[in-house]
Amino acid sequence: GAGVSQSPSNKVTEKGKDVELRCDPISGHTALYWYRQSLGQGLEFLIYFQGNSAPDKSGLPSDRFSAERTGGSVSTLTIQRTQQEDSAVYLCASSFSRTDRLFFGSGTQLSVL
Amino acid sequence: GQQLNQSPQSMFIQEGEDVSMNCTSSSIFNTWLWYKQDPGEGPVLLIALYKAGELTSNGRLTAQFGITRKDSFLNISASIPSDVGIYFCAGRNSGTYKYIFGTGTRLKVLA
């Protein structure tokens, strides 16, 4: 696609429920990143994909967080048993290669009540 | 996680004034990126820098890759109201794929 697409743009959920966030990277971009941005804060790295592999998952806050990427394209970030502290904007970015510039989607605003 | 230090954290300026902000790191980077983020949107890439000492412009924006490779600077000339937003720097070291982001500079322009 023309840009990185994320869905949904907003998600409100109840504490304890699972959520799935989707990212469609720019066509042809092999590298895909997930970042988290809490209110008024900078960007916190979560996970990096090169193709379908995730060589670095070091930023995932807990084992409730997982992500996968299929077909070298779409990625899904899953948060199980959501907690209020999970509330944040989840941003996806892609790049042509692991050393290229990052291009971001508009993010998913997650609110856990 | 690791973050870069950006300053100032926020600034109010009059329309037409020039703006300067900077980003510093304890590590050497070989790539610096500057982004602008509007409310409810993802960061948009403004300028990319790849070499120490490099000076690159994008319209009224000019960014520099510091000689020490531990800092970068962004200048906005003749600011206008639509410059309002949060500006982030991001740096990456050679051989790594992960960009580290700054804490952001929130810019407000008074008409």
Side-chain angles (χ1 to χ4, degrees), chain A residues 39-57:
Chain A
L39 187 62
Q41 301 297 310
L43 279 70
E44 174 191 6
F45 169 81
L46 296 179
I47 187 170
Y48 155 72
F49 285 92
Q50 180 60 43
N52 292 334
S53 302
D56 188 349
K57 306 178 184 180

Side-chain angles (χ1 to χ4, degrees), chain B residues 89-103:
Chain B
C89 61
R92 187 181 61 81
N93 203 347
S94 175
T96 68
Y97 51 81
K98 187 177 2 180
Y99 279 97
I100 306 300
F101 279 79
T103 48

Side-chain angles (χ1 to χ4, degrees), chain B residues 54-109:
Chain B
E54 180 180 356
L55 192 70
T56 298
S57 293
N58 178 5
R60 294 178 296 105
L61 277 61
T62 301
Q64 184 164 23
F65 193 137
I67 293 291
T68 66
R69 296 173 62 196
K70 290 186 176 182
D71 53 13
S72 181
F73 310 89
L74 177 69
N75 295 310
I76 306 172
S77 62
S79 58
I80 59 178
S82 62
D83 290 334
V84 165
I86 305 176
Y87 292 80
F88 288 101
C89 61
R92 187 181 61 81
N93 203 347
S94 175
T96 68
Y97 51 81
K98 187 177 2 180
Y99 279 97
I100 306 300
F101 279 79
T103 48
T105 293
R106 187 181 298 270
L107 179 64
K108 299 187 181 181
V109 180

Side-chain angles (χ1 to χ4, degrees), chain A residues 33 35 37 41-43 45 48 56 58 91 98-102 104-106, chain B residues 3 33 35 37 40-43 45 48 50 88 92 95 97-99 101-102:
Chain A
Y33 301 74
Y35 283 84
Q37 186 176 31
Q41 301 297 310
L43 279 70
F45 169 81
Y48 155 72
D56 188 349
S58 62
L91 290 162
R98 63 193 288 277
T99 59
D100 200 8
R101 304 153 293 170
L102 299 185
F104 282 88
S106 296
Chain B
Q3 286 191 327
L33 306 177
Y35 288 87
Q37 186 177 28
E41 299 293 327
L45 182 65
Y50 299 104
F88 288 101
R92 187 181 61 81
Y97 51 81
K98 187 177 2 180
Y99 279 97
F101 279 79

Side-chain angles (χ1 to χ4, degrees), chain B residues 4-7 21-25 32 34 70-73 89-90 101-102:
Chain B
L4 304 175
N5 291 318
Q6 265 186 264
S7 70
M21 60 190 78
N22 68 76
C23 198
T24 59
S25 167
W32 285 96
W34 283 92
K70 290 186 176 182
D71 53 13
S72 181
F73 310 89
C89 61
F101 279 79

